[in-house]
Amino acid sequence: MNNEDFEKHVTEHSLFDLDLNYAIIGICGEAGECAEWHKKYNLRQNRTGLHSPEDLKKELGDVLFYLTRAAMLSGWSLSDVMEHNKQKLDDRVSKKMRQIV
């Protein structure tokens, strides 16, 4: 699946007209569920199958859903957000490299 296909999927599966507030709170909630998975699966070493790596994949997918929706509601594509993040990180590395030299 590519970015555009996923954006279409998000649009088709936004059963309610999710506003930006709802999408951002959704990101936070789902990211919290990723942290909860990490706590239970890795920190407690409670690998009973109730908190499998597949559960983390599901939660990351939920984060991606809300992140994509927030981007779209802000007028950006997922590709726009990815490119902006890449540029930000490239600039950060470049700045650190200049400080070293």
Side-chain angles (χ1 to χ4, degrees):
M1 175 176 282
N2 63 35
N3 300 345
E4 293 82 16
D5 290 342
F6 192 75
E7 289 166 345
K8 183 178 177 186
H9 163 79
V10 168
T11 299
E12 291 170 352
H13 288 82
S14 294
L15 300 177
F16 308 101
D17 188 18
L18 303 179
D19 66 6
L20 186 57
N21 292 325
Y22 194 94
I24 290 173
I25 291 168
I27 293 168
C28 295
E30 298 301 339
E33 290 186 26
C34 291
E36 187 69 16
W37 174 89
H38 180 70
K39 177 187 79 176
K40 290 178 179 176
Y41 187 77
N42 287 312
L43 300 181
R44 288 187 190 167
Q45 300 297 313
N46 183 18
R47 299 178 183 188
T48 62
L50 297 175
H51 305 286
S52 72
E54 286 297 312
D55 293 325
L56 177 59
K57 187 190 296 185
K58 291 175 187 175
E59 299 307 334
L60 290 172
D62 291 341
V63 171
L64 181 60
F65 176 91
Y66 284 112
L67 182 147
T68 302
R69 187 68 176 145
M72 293 170 65
L73 288 167
S74 298
W76 306 307
S77 69
L78 198 50
S79 293
D80 293 335
V81 174
M82 291 171 14
E83 182 59 38
H84 189 268
N85 184 258
K86 179 186 179 304
Q87 186 63 50
K88 178 184 83 169
L89 296 177
D90 288 348
D91 291 347
R92 184 180 300 162
V93 168
S94 176
K95 182 177 179 181
K96 286 184 181 185
M97 294 302 290
R98 286 193 305 268
Q99 290 173 349
I100 293 172
V101 174

